[in-house]
Every structure is written in structure tokens, then in C-alpha cells.
Amino acid sequence: MVQLQCLENPHKPQYNGGIIVNPELNDGLKAWSTFGDAKIEHRESDGNKYVVAHTRKNPHGSMSQKLYLKKNHLYTFSAWVQVSEGNVQVRAVFKTDSGFKKAGSVFAEPKCWSMLKGGLTVDTSGHAELYFESNNTSVEIWVDSISLQPFTEKEWRSHQDQSIERTREEKVRIQAVDEQGNPLSNVTISIQQKTLRFPFGCAMNKNILSNTAYQNWFTSRFRVTTFEDEMKWYSTEATRGQVDYSVPDAMLAFAKQHNIAVRGHNVIWDDPKYQSGWVNSLSPNDFRTAVQARVGSIMTRYRGKLIAWDVVNENLHFSFVESKLGQSASSVIYNWAGKTDGFTTLFLNEYNTIEESGDGAASPAKYLQKLKEIQSFPGNENLRMGIGLESHFSTPNLPYMRASLDTLASANVPIWLTEVDVQGNPAQQAQYLEQILREAYSYPKIAGIVIWSAWSPQGCYRMCLTDNNFRNLATGDVVDKLLHEWGGSLAGVTDANGFFEASLSHGDYSVKIIRHGVADKSSSTSNLTVAPTVSGRTTLIHRVTA
């Protein structure tokens, strides 16, 4: 996890600096040089040595180090940064043969050190140059404890698997015994997962209400959903005062019938493009009244029926409500939301926070600033908040994604990937989708995932999981593969003492004894719940009787 506090002294570099030469600047300016129109010098304060870029005349004027980066490697990056004045965003950038790669950013301050954490991959092996930049050219940039650590794809996958085993699974010992309690050796234990505890789902739309094939495909896989458009303001109140919840009501009833949890999406959308004409024409006073009525209407109607609310959608990139009601508009709306349905988690929902390292508007640091701004507004101190990451990816940068999650996790609120999809051709989509879902599932602080692939005969938003006959595309095969991997069915043979041991994902299971290829008629189905242990990993003992 990222150290968010601004510290008097920087920590030691991660991985001892990795492939960075002279990462703690203990050897003067060895391996470091100037980049752009700037001057650099070596300084020392209270025994700590670091490099400073000053007299900067352009944003990229700073210190730099030349490196060699390899394709098919994943690079984690970190550095400790300070500036001479203000609260200034500093970015780490790699100049490569194929272009500039932004590795991450941080808001740095004077008189203390802030951790910049990020990562990158490269398209081709070759020479690169690391440098730092800030749009504020009047500040000095101080840097220390720099680290760049490469991992092979095999090493990265191994870390994911270890994390999944540690955080999403438990070891279970199942003992088969007869009615007298004697162990049964060499019999087959069949384990079938009924539900996966981890919330993994997909968006849906109103087409599901009238399409049996869509219903069957969806309900056989998912236990959580988000309505694509049907709860949005322009859908429920196209004309002022004429509120119609009949479609989301029907979809919610369908979801409840099939034991599918629903995220509320969304109360207000901050993008000016997605406002009904009547909303645009309102005066500030009338707009305030309309927004307050919208919050009260939809959140009262569905209070207690949803697991989450996306309250003000995309308020890092856009500011429609702020333009009408002032800079604290989002904070005020969250205040109203908390008073209307304070028991449901209230999410910010934003894109490019983990997808694009170059989008400064929604960087993890900016996201946390907005979250803190809302939480610190009078009356919002005890709001039940959550972080929603839309996750509309092009080419995933897994090291940056993980570093961003490390930063966001410091807020200690639930984190969901809320609208996962991938742009591109189906084969590429499938490959990247699997990478993203594995990374998210392996990250301990991720509390749920929703894929943004609601089906329509005209096509999905950016990525479909099936064709129009609900036959899986390559992306759908990835979903089924992972659902099987994270649960599905399992069988094994008991040892001399009647035991069979397995590592099972958190969830609900049915357990049977199988003899001669069929279920033992003398045994009843045994229900097994595998839940996270409170006191560290212990082996759960479960007995099934024949």
C-alpha cells in the first residue's frame, strides 16, 4: 500500500532500487543527468542525500537516468518526491523509442516527502530514459529512493495466484465416514459450488425482461448486476414531473427473483452531454430543487433494495452540477444521499483512474482528493463511502493498475471495478479481459467486479460476451473459464483416514460421496460454507456421512 502521509524522510527504495543505478543518491549524481532545460544538483539534509532539479524553464525540465527496458516484462516504479513550494502534481515519465510512457504521478509538497508509485510496460525492447515533469515550472523537483523493478509475465502471474490463494480461498479437509463414524478410504468426494461469495457480475438492460435466452445465459453465471441506463435520470424523468420507474422496477423484481444483487446507477451524472433538455434549461434555483427531488425520489424508492449507489457519476472529469450549484455541489448531493439512504454504500464512479496513467484529471491522487473533499464536508463525516472504478480499458498496464489500487486502498473504503470492458477486436479483448479480471480478483482490497457488457440486438457498449444467439464469444469463454477456476466442481479420492483436502474459494458448496461413478444412495448431500477466517488461514474440517 502507498504511504500517503508526507514524511520527514523518504523510505528506502523498493526492491533496493531494482534496475535503477544509484537509487538513493549516495554516490553523488552517478548515473543521473539533466533532462530538458534545467539544472540539477546533489544535496544532503540531515544525512539524507537526494537530487534536485531547479531553474526549470519547461514542464519536463528535470533529472533523468538512461535504462534498457524489455518487452514482455512488467515494471513497477516508485520514487519519493518533494517540491520547493505549493501542492504540485509531479509525474514520472519514460521516453522510449515508441513514445512517451507516463508511469504515475503524485501531489508533492515542500518540507516533506511524498511517494509516487506507478508502473509501465513497453511495446518493444530498447533504450529508455526516465525523467520527471511538472506543469509548474517555478518549483524545484526533489527526488530520492527511486525504484524500477522488472517482473516476467510468469512471475506476475505467480504473484496473482499466491494472492488469490491467500485472500480468496481456504484450505478444507473433508472426511468421509460411515454411519458409525468410521472413516471411508478410497471413496470419491464430489464438491459442487452453488454460489461464489465474491461479487462477480455483469451489467444488464431491459432486453432481459423479454428474452428467455438472455435470462438463462445471465442467471446461470452472475449474482450481481448494474442496470445499464434504466435508473438514470434521463430514463426515469424524460419530461419534468413525469417520473416513471416501471422498467427499473421490473428489472429489480427479476433480479430479486434470481437472487441477483443490484448496484444503483446512477443518481446524478456530471457529464453535460447526458442531461435531459428540460434539465439544461433550469435556472440555478430550479436546478437545485430538481436535483434534490431526484435524489429523494429514486433513493427513497429503492432504499434498502440495492447494495450500492453511484451518486454523482464522473465528477472528476465533468462539473455540470458544479457549474450550476457551485464547487461544493457534489459534497452537498452526497449529503442529501446520506440522509435519504445512509445504510447503502455511496460510491464515486470514475473512469481512467486505473486504466490510463496519462489522464491527470482522474489520477488516484485526484480521486482521493475528491473523496476527502466529500467526506470532510460538514455532515458527511460518517457517510458510508466507496470507490467505483469504471475500468474501460484499451491496452491494460497491469503494474500501473496495481500501483493505483495501492494508492486508493489507503482510503480504507470498499473498492469495486464497476464497468469493466476492453476496446479492440474480440481475440485481443479476451486476452486483455482475462488479464484485468485476474489482476482485480487477486487484489485483496477489491470487493466486487461488474463487467459492462449488457446485451442488445444492436450490439453492446464496447464489448459483448455473446453473439445474438447467446453463444459465447471469446470474451464469454474467459468469463466461464474464470468462474470455473474460482469455483465450479471438484472431485478427489479420500486417503486411508477418509480425508480429502482441497483449497476452495469462499462460497457455498454441496458435498457428496461418489462410489462406482454414482452418488452413494446411502449418503445425503452435505452443505458446506467456506468463509474468510478471522484469525489467519486455518484448515476447515468438514465431515460427510455415507
Side-chain angles (χ1 to χ4, degrees):
M1 191 178 296
V2 170
Q3 175 65 255
L4 273 193
Q5 295 90 344
C6 200
L7 303 182
E8 183 178 354
N9 290 299
H11 287 175
K12 293 283 186 180
Q14 294 186 307
Y15 308 107
N16 295 315
I19 62 173
I20 294 291
V21 178
N22 191 19
E24 294 185 77
L25 284 302
N26 289 333
D27 294 327
L29 291 176
K30 177 184 175 183
W32 293 96
S33 58
T34 57
F35 190 89
D37 194 355
K39 295 180 180 179
I40 67 169
E41 66 178 81
H42 188 256
R43 293 184 191 170
E44 182 176 348
S45 176
D46 296 326
N48 182 52
K49 299 172 182 177
Y50 51 95
V51 59
V52 174
H54 61 87
T55 320
R56 302 172 51 246
K57 295 181 180 178
N58 49 55
H60 58 266
S62 68
M63 64 290 291
S64 71
Q65 183 168 136
K66 291 182 169 63
L67 303 153
Y68 187 86
L69 303 183
K70 297 178 182 178
K71 184 182 178 183
N72 299 327
H73 281 63
L74 300 96
Y75 290 87
T76 63
F77 176 80
S78 62
W80 288 81
V81 183
Q82 185 173 160
V83 291
S84 53
E85 60 184 18
N87 183 286
V88 177
Q89 190 171 29
V90 177
R91 294 174 291 274
V93 185
F94 287 79
K95 181 183 178 183
T96 73
D97 293 338
S98 57
F100 294 86
K101 299 272 187 178
K102 291 183 170 68
S105 66
V106 71
F107 282 90
E109 302 175 34
K111 300 181 180 178
C112 60
W113 294 90
S114 299
M115 187 183 190
L116 188 164
K117 192 171 186 184
L120 76 156
T121 60
V122 291
D123 307 315
T124 56
S125 299
H127 295 283
E129 190 166 7
L130 161 68
Y131 68 95
F132 298 82
E133 67 178 20
S134 174
N135 291 339
N136 186 338
T137 57
S138 66
V139 301
E140 296 180 352
I141 299 175
W142 304 7
V143 180
D144 197 3
S145 293
I146 308 97
S147 173
L148 185 67
Q149 177 63 35
F151 293 92
T152 65
E153 292 175 350
K154 183 177 180 181
E155 289 169 335
W156 198 269
R157 174 66 181 274
S158 175
H159 181 272
Q160 289 174 335
D161 292 343
Q162 291 171 33
S163 182
I164 289 171
E165 183 179 0
R166 188 170 58 249
T167 62
R168 308 291 187 198
E169 300 175 352
E170 303 296 327
K171 287 186 177 178
V172 180
R173 295 188 78 203
I174 297 172
Q175 186 180 36
V177 297
D178 61 21
E179 290 182 342
Q180 289 73 45
N182 300 310
L184 296 173
S185 62
N186 204 34
V187 298
T188 298
I189 299 292
S190 171
I191 306 168
Q192 184 73 42
Q193 187 186 77
K194 295 187 290 185
T195 57
L196 177 68
R197 185 183 181 103
F198 180 85
F200 180 65
C202 184
M204 66 164 66
N205 57 35
K206 62 186 177 183
N207 291 305
I208 204 165
L209 297 174
S210 57
N211 190 312
T212 304
Y214 188 6
Q215 293 174 5
N216 292 339
W217 182 88
F218 193 98
T219 58
S220 65
R221 288 164 174 80
F222 302 120
R223 288 292 170 266
V224 63
T225 192
T226 303
F227 300 167
E228 187 177 38
D229 285 308
E230 289 78 4
M231 278 191 181
K232 291 172 182 170
W233 197 2
Y234 58 67
S235 296
T236 61
E237 194 177 2
T239 303
R240 188 176 189 183
Q242 297 181 21
V243 182
D244 182 2
Y245 292 118
S246 58
V247 174
D249 281 354
M251 292 174 68
L252 191 62
F254 172 82
K256 184 177 181 181
Q257 176 188 351
H258 294 280
N259 196 31
I260 297 170
V262 178
R263 300 185 73 258
H265 177 77
N266 51 53
V267 180
I268 300 293
W269 199 346
D270 226 352
D271 189 342
K273 283 193 304 185
Y274 297 102
Q275 311 299 328
S276 296
W278 69 266
V279 171
N280 273 311
S281 65
L282 296 176
S283 68
N285 283 341
D286 284 348
F287 180 72
R288 179 184 177 90
T289 300
V291 170
Q292 196 162 13
R294 160 68 175 173
V295 172
S297 173
I298 191 168
M299 295 189 72
T300 299
R301 186 176 191 86
Y302 298 121
R303 182 167 51 207
K305 299 177 181 179
L306 307 174
I307 60 169
W309 284 107
D310 294 331
V311 180
V312 184
N313 201 50
E314 298 176 353
N315 59 354
L316 288 171
H317 281 100
F318 306 107
S319 54
F320 179 73
V321 295
E322 286 79 6
S323 70
K324 296 271 193 177
L325 303 179
Q327 287 305 304
S328 62
S330 285
S331 299
V332 171
I333 294 170
Y334 276 87
N335 184 272
W336 294 341
K339 290 175 180 175
T340 307
D341 187 3
F343 292 102
T344 302
T345 306
L346 310 177
F347 280 77
L348 279 73
N349 195 48
E350 193 53 83
Y351 64 90
N352 280 358
T353 303
I354 61 173
E355 304 99 301
E356 294 291 342
S357 59
D359 189 344
S363 69
K366 282 276 193 181
Y367 198 115
L368 291 181
Q369 278 189 344
K370 178 62 78 172
L371 180 65
K372 186 177 179 180
E373 173 189 312
I374 292 169
Q375 290 175 315
S376 60
F377 186 80
N380 288 357
E381 297 84 1
N382 297 315
L383 288 183
R384 191 189 298 256
M385 298 291 292
I387 289 172
L389 305 169
E390 292 183 14
S391 309
H392 296 297
F393 283 88
S394 296
T395 303
N397 175 353
L398 296 186
Y400 180 76
M401 177 180 173
R402 186 178 295 181
S404 299
L405 291 172
D406 283 344
T407 301
L408 296 167
S410 63
N412 200 30
V413 300
I415 303 175
W416 278 62
L417 269 55
T418 57
E419 305 180 17
V420 180
D421 63 15
V422 183
Q423 196 166 29
N425 63 67
Q428 189 182 62
Q429 285 178 326
Q431 175 192 352
Y432 290 161
L433 179 64
E434 180 171 349
Q435 291 176 6
I436 294 158
L437 294 178
R438 282 192 186 281
E439 184 64 30
Y441 186 68
S442 71
Y443 195 85
K445 297 293 185 179
I446 294 292
I449 300 171
V450 177
I451 299 171
W452 205 247
S453 296
W455 175 84
S456 162
Q458 292 79 38
C460 310
Y461 172 62
R462 291 205 317 176
M463 182 187 78
C464 283
L465 299 178
T466 72
D467 63 17
N468 282 358
N469 294 311
F470 296 94
R471 293 179 299 227
N472 273 2
L473 300 173
T475 46
D477 286 341
V478 164
V479 169
D480 285 355
K481 171 186 174 181
L482 293 178
L483 282 171
H484 179 78
E485 189 176 313
W486 301 339
S489 59
L490 181 68
V493 178
T494 59
D495 63 15
N497 296 312
F499 283 105
F500 169 66
E501 187 169 304
S503 190
L504 299 179
S505 300
H506 301 146
D508 297 312
Y509 296 83
S510 62
V511 183
K512 287 183 179 180
I513 294 174
I514 304 289
R515 287 199 247 199
H516 309 298
V518 295
D520 194 308
K521 293 181 180 178
S522 64
S523 69
S524 58
T525 300
S526 174
N527 293 321
L528 167 65
T529 295
V530 180
T533 53
V534 177
S535 56
R537 285 181 62 80
T538 57
T539 301
L540 175 67
I541 306 294
H542 181 76
R543 178 176 282 193
V544 56
T545 304

